[in-house]
Amino acid sequence: MTDPSGRRIAVGVTGASGVIYALRTMAALLEQGCHLEIVFSDYGRRLLLDEIAPDANVERLGEILRARYGPGAGRGTFSVSSNRDMGAALASGSHRAEAMVIVPCSMKTLAGVAHGLSRSLIERAADVMLKERRRLVLVPRETPMSLPALKNLVACAEAGAVILPAMPAFYQQPATIDDLASFIAGKILNALGFEQHLFPQWTGRVNRSET
Ligand SMILES: Cc1cc2nc3c(=O)[nH]c(=O)nc-3n(C[C@H](O)[C@H](O)[C@H](O)COP(=O)(O)O)c2cc1C
């Protein structure tokens, strides 16, 4: 498979609410010509069906991204690995995926990453990012949060991960659910070191579109 930009990014999708954040992030990275190495947990697959559409299965991912976000989502390439495949390339530090985002990140997977459990490919790939001192971005979604979850966030931050909670802002005047997803996806792209045009930069005042 071609790797047009030379940028190879791992994307883990777990069973927290907000799979739309994952789809918007994937589409934006593909628009920039990345190669994505994608892993869904079992509950990540379930939430894709529950929150997007009853026929939104992972096998149709490319089609879903192009239908929602346009042909630009076909610019890059992607592969999907099983979360049970501990022999996948992402499980090794010798594999050159440069960064990883787990979006959305469940409290269960957060706990696994915080404690280095490596019970699944997503947890193992995250551990590889931490041990190799590469960028790991976690996008937790839960409310309210338990004390163990808060401690797990601190442990991951201390280990070098960027904690980027799924907390969209409202000062950019979002009009649609896609606007909210684009805000978080834009933040993720910035955290991964990409330019992004998914929401406007703050200029010092609210940009109201007069009707
Ligand atoms: C509809 C639905 C919504 C859920 N939302 C969340 C959530 O927002 N945050 C969370 O931590 N877990 C949530 N869960 C629970 C996780 O899916 C569950 O803990 C699962 O075991 C996580 O496994 P995974 O991390 O391997 O995907 C949800 C489950 C369902 C069925």
Side-chain angles (χ1 to χ4, degrees), residues 107 141-147 149-150:
M107 298 304 98
R141 204 234 66 98
E142 186 55 279
T143 193
M145 281 196 180
S146 68
L147 185 58
L150 292 167

Side-chain angles (χ1 to χ4, degrees), residues 6-137:
R7 300 204 66 175
R8 184 176 281 269
I9 308 292
V11 182
V13 184
T14 69
S17 186
V19 70
I20 190 173
Y21 297 123
L23 297 185
R24 191 67 196 94
T25 301
M26 289 176 196
L29 291 171
L30 289 169
E31 283 160 15
Q32 301 214 14
C34 292
H35 176 69
L36 305 184
E37 303 194 14
I38 299 169
V39 189
F40 279 79
S41 72
D42 287 350
Y43 273 85
R45 286 172 186 261
R46 171 176 167 166
L47 271 101
L48 186 61
L49 300 173
D50 286 351
E51 295 187 340
I52 301 301
D55 63 347
N57 53 56
V58 173
E59 289 64 39
R60 294 185 50 240
L61 186 60
E63 190 188 320
I64 293 165
L65 293 174
R66 289 189 300 276
R68 285 183 76 98
Y69 304 112
R75 198 166 294 139
T77 56
F78 71 88
S79 56
V80 179
S81 298
S82 162
N83 201 25
R84 292 178 177 76
D85 185 5
M86 304 304 275
L90 280 175
S92 170
S94 64
H95 181 62
R96 300 307 303 171
E98 69 176 80
M100 178 177 191
V101 55
I102 304 182
V103 55
C105 183
S106 74
M107 298 304 98
K108 176 194 150 195
T109 293
L110 169 70
V113 175
H115 296 277
L117 298 184
S118 292
R119 295 167 297 188
S120 64
L121 180 57
I122 293 175
E123 289 182 7
R124 169 65 187 166
D127 203 46
V128 167
M129 293 293 145
L130 294 178
K131 82 183 177 75
E132 300 292 337
R133 303 287 195 269
R134 298 184 203 151
R135 179 57 56 96
L136 173 64
V137 179

